[in-house]
Amino acid sequence: MPQGFKYNRLVKDDAACLLVDHQSGLISLVQDFSPGEFKNNVLALAACAQYFKLPTILTTSFEAGPNGPLVPELRPMFPDAPYIARPGNINAWDNEDFVNAVKQTGRKQLIIAGVVTEVCVAFPALSAIEAGYDVFVVTDASGTFNEVTRHAAWARMAAAGVQLMNWFGVACELHRDWRNDIEGLGALFSNYIPNYRNLITSYEARK
Amino acid sequence: MPQGFKYNRLVKDDAACLLVDHQSGLISLVQDFSPGEFKNNVLALAACAQYFKLPTILTTSFEAGPNGPLVPELRPMFPDAPYIARPGNINAWDNEDFVNAVKQTGRKQLIIAGVVTEVCVAFPALSAIEAGYDVFVVTDASGTFNEVTRHAAWARMAAAGVQLMNWFGVACELHRDWRNDIEGLGALFSNYIPNYRNLITSYEARK
Amino acid sequence: MPQGFKYNRLVKDDAACLLVDHQSGLISLVQDFSPGEFKNNVLALAACAQYFKLPTILTTSFEAGPNGPLVPELRPMFPDAPYIARPGNINAWDNEDFVNAVKQTGRKQLIIAGVVTEVCVAFPALSAIEAGYDVFVVTDASGTFNEVTRHAAWARMAAAGVQLMNWFGVACELHRDWRNDIEGLGALFSNYIPNYRNLITSYEARK
Amino acid sequence: MPQGFKYNRLVKDDAACLLVDHQSGLISLVQDFSPGEFKNNVLALAACAQYFKLPTILTTSFEAGPNGPLVPELRPMFPDAPYIARPGNINAWDNEDFVNAVKQTGRKQLIIAGVVTEVCVAFPALSAIEAGYDVFVVTDASGTFNEVTRHAAWARMAAAGVQLMNWFGVACELHRDWRNDIEGLGALFSNYIPNYRNLITSYEARK
Amino acid sequence: MPQGFKYNRLVKDDAACLLVDHQSGLISLVQDFSPGEFKNNVLALAACAQYFKLPTILTTSFEAGPNGPLVPELRPMFPDAPYIARPGNINAWDNEDFVNAVKQTGRKQLIIAGVVTEVCVAFPALSAIEAGYDVFVVTDASGTFNEVTRHAAWARMAAAGVQLMNWFGVACELHRDWRNDIEGLGALFSNYIPNYRNLITSYEARK
Amino acid sequence: MPQGFKYNRLVKDDAACLLVDHQSGLISLVQDFSPGEFKNNVLALAACAQYFKLPTILTTSFEAGPNGPLVPELRPMFPDAPYIARPGNINAWDNEDFVNAVKQTGRKQLIIAGVVTEVCVAFPALSAIEAGYDVFVVTDASGTFNEVTRHAAWARMAAAGVQLMNWFGVACELHRDWRNDIEGLGALFSNYIPNYRNLITSYEARK
Amino acid sequence: MPQGFKYNRLVKDDAACLLVDHQSGLISLVQDFSPGEFKNNVLALAACAQYFKLPTILTTSFEAGPNGPLVPELRPMFPDAPYIARPGNINAWDNEDFVNAVKQTGRKQLIIAGVVTEVCVAFPALSAIEAGYDVFVVTDASGTFNEVTRHAAWARMAAAGVQLMNWFGVACELHRDWRNDIEGLGALFSNYIPNYRNLITSYEARK
Amino acid sequence: MPQGFKYNRLVKDDAACLLVDHQSGLISLVQDFSPGEFKNNVLALAACAQYFKLPTILTTSFEAGPNGPLVPELRPMFPDAPYIARPGNINAWDNEDFVNAVKQTGRKQLIIAGVVTEVCVAFPALSAIEAGYDVFVVTDASGTFNEVTRHAAWARMAAAGVQLMNWFGVACELHRDWRNDIEGLGALFSNYIPNYRNLITSYEARK
């Protein structure tokens, strides 16, 4: 056990969200989630970023080519977010504009998700750790070819100190206490967790 | 091979849609689909019924109890549909109002989906076959406890002559020809098939 | 589609339940269900037989040997049931006492479950069909070595006209209408379907 | 058991091959095979059609839209094959040119594969059965969204008398006897079955 | 349900066993069983044939080539069995010597297993049904490339009236009654079912 | 390998058990165990805590809302246990009462299980490690949405020094020696491990 | 990456083999391997210990009770091995005789396998690490209830510095060079790896 | 988290590629990938090595025996590569010629893939780490008997500091920037990622 372990937990005012290469072409490569689950998870993470008002950065890789444009739902959710259409760098962290945008958030905790996990997520995650950031990868909003490539990517990132999360864990760790806003968090869960919506439906019916 | 096989295909003007017991409590029993996939499939089927203007019947089982109310999305999609809140009959076909509602559609082809597959779907499906209807069960908008119970239910229904479909097959068989309405069908697919939406996004970007 | 299909559904007054070889040794061979699921399903089916007062027959194969005795829960549930400890017949239907016990129930519908599916269930099921009975095999209260042997057994039985059910379907088809006894059926479900009990717990909390 | 069963087996001089909608966009919807397996199976089936000189028909659905063009490997393999770019009919059999092309082959046995299974394959398969053809669907060169939609599609087709095959079975049934051409069949297997190529490699090394 | 169903069960004096193409090369193509399970199942079936003294026929396809020789365990178990090394016929039933060997057994029930399921098993199974035999395919002693090809092969055979069995079911159906030979059957199970051997070990320890 | 590794094993007199948010609503979100398995595991862990007389703390999150009340089996098992109904803190460790209750146990080893794994378990587990406790998470009595979220949660906790256990391992590590109480431990296993009960049944039958 | 990593590899003259609780009753609890695979792996590991003449220790837990005796194959393979029938200690390392037997081997590398993984293997493995031994757990000769309990046990052991191996890796690491004994190693592989036997069969046929 | 983490990423001019024992016999042992996927991955990795002009070393184990020769595709891709046919060393690193060939590349980063993962890959990987190299194992171009042996091998290697990659990640990390050669990288992906080829096909059709 690491001595003197410090629970480095997500803090609303110290976290930024990086959405990397959620492009219409690249997403068709993802096969470790069903397409419906994956879309839901990506939009749920985006909704968290929006709800918690996290500085958010959008970036794409070579979007004029077969990789395709950013999925159309994301941009309108973050109209003021930096949008870095990388002309060629595969690792977003190799792009100066991207790194500058990250710096300008002034945040130390980076929540990262993207497509595909072992490249578009793992590369900037490892670079960011090296640069001294705390990195939280949202595993269920990051997709890849299959479970083998996913597990290898996770192992590489975990070995570097990346914290592996899911969007629901991110939301809960940021929110801290239901009393901060019961309705807002309930709406978030209701929109992206069908069984939670069912709980609410049953609950409301009997109040 | 059945001699003189007749391809009994869905016809827009001869089909009705029966949505059985998609209730907030019962859906929490479904474990043969991920909750996200299942919700998507149910809403996609409902969207088909709406799009093709199929007479649609909604029914619930004991909705004042733990089974819970109908999921809130469905009723507003079919404001004029008969809504049969069965006070106790487990097999919807044992409920006179339900059978009458079916008769009043004047349709011979019944598209059925519900929760759980081996009860709320299979029972009325078998009753309807006996009553002389052609029955098309939408397997991916019908959920149950696990794959074992699903496969047993499918076998029982198939042996009775039920045709096993999925919502996408229903949509395509009803539509017949893209030229009937390219935009409408494209929108339907775009809303409920994330990878199809991706195809459209990439396509539109390059037109 | 079979012409003139007749929905042959379970009727409380015309059904008997045959529990075949649920013995402590044989059950250790079952690997197509987790042990916990399997035990729950078997006891749930037995509870249905008890609840609906179905004539029930218990039988074992060679119980003095490694196959082991009947699991201890079953006998006390049916203190007056015929109990046929077969000295050697593998197919219970080859045992005259067993067939006589079935005849003496006076029932035409036989609900069968046992271990292992392709032998202790399939053999008497096929024999009973040949003898003119209607047979309903409870697939989730019947276990075998793996999914391959299960699927082959199902195919053989289905081809003979056996109806493949699960215990929940059996309960619902026998009960017909919640109003016959809401509390009784609710208790049955609460005892053997954890998520149903959860629904009831949540429901009761808010009444 | 069907009385007087007649083994209706594929005959080189009586079979035609229909490749339906193997388009670059539609294939991205396929998730019941890994992309690599699926591509291999489709090309293997095409290689069989070529090798056995089966009359082959290529068809696409709405190829100017998001469905995308036929995958580039197929057309050059069948330079003289009828190529029906359907302007809108979802069921290829609804397209007169397609049906005429089938008729002009003069064959009674139709080998069909395509994307997606429950629509582009099942619809023309059922239509062709109705029209009196013998239909052999190549299951592993036909893809769909997931295993649920695949199994439902298979059940529907099997109930109509469609014979479910895989490309390897098609090749073996058409070839009949290794002595007809050892080298040719060996090359076919070597190209599309990596483990068969390994067997040949080991074998050649020791001859 | 088939009217007047007749339970066509295996009879020791009316059954023969056909082991088709269990060759060292071909078996390396099998991936729908783990290699250890598959070897165990094939040897278990062979041990049944031996134990019940079933006339048994061994055949191989092109054994001088990459398909390789028969696995070495089988021939010594049946030193007097006809051994048909087919020079080229893929379907064993196309080989006159093989069919004659079957005829000379004088048996009407054919138990068939082999590699690969959809070819070396399905082809002679379908031919034998056509020729008027009763066919029992031993699914777990027959292997193929993956589960998709297995399920398609099963569906094709089941539609023709083939009965799908596993080796354990074959043994039990042939034996009928433990009292015919407790020790013999116990030894058979002990050798090929590790958990059954464990039951016996525990049992013997406490006698 | 960590130098000077110290096997930090569970000690009956130094361990406490924290059961976090096993509520009727939240449990319906769990899909990485079958409902029956999960219920069994939670009750088995509770039975261990009871059997070993571990100080136990029950806590719930927002139980008046859709999350629902604690499942009814748990409270009666620990009538004197502190019961902290948290009004809003998502991480139980953020609740002063909860932390005080933990402190008052005077134990250094914390056995934690709950729903959902990545939040209700991982958050307090990480906080407790930071606070200097030894933490043992009972993985099979902790549930979440799916295997992806589970694995990510495990990785995060393991990186912090949490020991991942299952309830059976907890029981065995606490008990140390069968001779401390053969009957008691045997009863515990018999109640929650069906195959262990089968062993006992067979054993008793032959004593 | 650990600085100055030292590849601690198995050395024939420094390794001992500990087979823990492979008892007929306990093995019936194992469900994370098929029974056939598991038996094969255990016997393969034992054959390695025998072949490489490793000092081997056999131990059992409470073998007079339901746990059952050691499986009968193991003892005759190691007639001179210490055999410690533990009267009650669950962790074999808590038994003085066992630890003494280990010490008397004079070896520093301990190869451990047993049933169940998280208890009978993990407990002595962690104790042995603490005692300064190098521990190599043979994962595929160690079984448990399911994959969840397996993964948790692996994580706990790996965190302590245990090296996770399989029997084939053990054999290869001990053997070092085929030239030490081609025939012997070949025979070992042929006996326990069916596909390796197939390679040899094909190879021998063509020499 | 490791303090002062340094992202050790692949650099075109500092990496070499070691392809270990991709032999026709050994590959038939691989069952943790479908044969088609595995072949594709191995050839894709080889194509990367070729494309990025990495010094590459080919080696085989006992290729005159049942292990069989190197698969025929590899050698022609690297006509000038050192080719070490090891006469007996199981761990390639035990072979002086091999180690010398590695040294002569002058590279510090070793990309390793081979068959089987836990032996032919893990052994030289661990040796190379010990010798001071940076090791990147290409998990999807390395195969073994099943997922259990794979996971154990990964855990052992990761604990030693090996970085787990897949071929696609290797390609992307080496390439750095699409602008270095769009067409070349696109062709590589198009050849080995069918869905990427589909993206390109759709894209080209609309340019």
Side-chain angles (χ1 to χ4, degrees), chain C residues 43-159:
Chain C
L43 295 184
L45 175 61
C48 291
Q50 202 180 35
Y51 174 71
F52 292 107
K53 300 191 172 52
L54 303 184
T56 295
I57 299 170
L58 302 170
T59 182
T60 59
S61 160
F62 206 180
E63 69 181 39
N67 292 352
L70 193 69
V71 293
E73 292 87 351
L74 287 181
R75 192 121 192 216
M77 294 175 77
F78 306 98
D80 305 325
Y83 180 96
I84 321 288
R86 307 188 318 274
N89 319 276
I90 294 177
N91 180 349
W93 208 267
D94 287 343
N95 182 291
E96 211 177 329
D97 294 344
F98 182 79
V99 174
N100 283 337
V102 173
K103 278 186 195 153
Q104 276 157 29
T105 65
R107 305 292 172 96
K108 288 291 282 182
Q109 297 182 326
L110 303 183
I111 297 166
I112 307 181
V115 172
V116 299
T117 312
E118 72 272 26
V119 172
C120 307
V121 176
F123 290 4
L126 297 173
S127 292
I129 291 269
E130 187 177 50
Y133 289 88
D134 300 328
V135 177
F136 303 77
V137 160
V138 187
T139 55
D140 57 353
S142 301
T144 179
F145 300 100
N146 52 57
E147 295 207 357
V148 177
T149 59
R150 178 167 69 198
H151 285 144
W154 284 23
R156 196 185 192 204
M157 293 191 288

Side-chain angles (χ1 to χ4, degrees), chain D residues 59-77:
Chain D
T59 182
T60 58
S61 160
F62 207 177
E63 70 180 38
N67 292 352
L70 193 69
V71 294
E73 292 87 352
L74 287 181
R75 190 116 194 220
M77 293 176 77

Side-chain angles (χ1 to χ4, degrees), chain B residues 61-116:
Chain B
S61 161
F62 206 177
E63 70 181 39
N67 292 352
L70 193 69
V71 294
E73 291 87 352
L74 287 181
R75 191 119 191 217
M77 294 176 77
F78 306 98
D80 304 325
Y83 180 97
I84 320 287
R86 305 188 319 274
N89 319 276
I90 294 177
N91 180 348
W93 208 267
D94 286 343
N95 181 293
E96 211 176 330
D97 292 344
F98 182 79
V99 175
N100 283 337
V102 173
K103 278 187 193 152
Q104 276 156 29
T105 65
R107 304 292 172 97
K108 289 291 281 183
Q109 298 183 324
L110 303 183
I111 298 167
I112 307 181
V115 173
V116 300

Side-chain angles (χ1 to χ4, degrees), chain E residues 114-128:
Chain E
V115 172
V116 299
T117 311
E118 73 272 26
V119 172
C120 307
V121 177
F123 290 3
L126 296 173
S127 292

Side-chain angles (χ1 to χ4, degrees), chain F residues 1-5, chain G residues 2 5-6 8 125 128-130 132-135 157-163, chain H residues 159-160:
Chain F
M1 182 178 54
Q3 290 295 41
F5 170 78
Chain G
F5 171 78
K6 174 81 183 58
N8 182 356
I129 291 268
E130 187 178 49
Y133 290 88
D134 300 328
V135 176
M157 293 191 286
V162 170
Q163 297 200 51

Side-chain angles (χ1 to χ4, degrees), chain E residues 24-25 27 34-37 39 65-66 69 71-73 194-195 197-198 201-202 205-206, chain G residues 24-25 27 34-37 39 65-66 69 71-73 194-195 197-198 201-202 205-206:
Chain E
S24 61
I27 286 177
S34 77
E37 288 302 315
K39 179 184 174 183
V71 293
E73 292 86 352
N195 274 357
R197 177 186 295 250
N198 287 332
T201 299
S202 290
R206 286 172 227 148
Chain G
S24 61
I27 287 177
S34 78
E37 288 302 315
K39 179 183 174 183
V71 293
E73 292 86 352
N195 274 356
R197 177 186 294 248
N198 286 332
T201 299
S202 289
R206 287 171 227 148

Side-chain angles (χ1 to χ4, degrees), chain D residues 24-25 27 34-37 39 65-66 68-69 71-73 194-195 197-198 201-202 205-206, chain H residues 24-25 27 34-37 39 65-66 68-69 71-73 194-195 197-198 201-202 205-206:
Chain D
S24 61
I27 286 177
S34 78
E37 289 301 317
K39 179 182 174 185
V71 294
E73 292 87 352
N195 274 357
R197 176 186 295 248
N198 286 331
T201 299
S202 290
R206 288 172 225 148
Chain H
S24 61
I27 286 177
S34 78
E37 289 301 317
K39 179 183 174 184
V71 293
E73 291 87 352
N195 274 356
R197 177 186 295 248
N198 287 331
T201 299
S202 289
R206 286 172 228 148

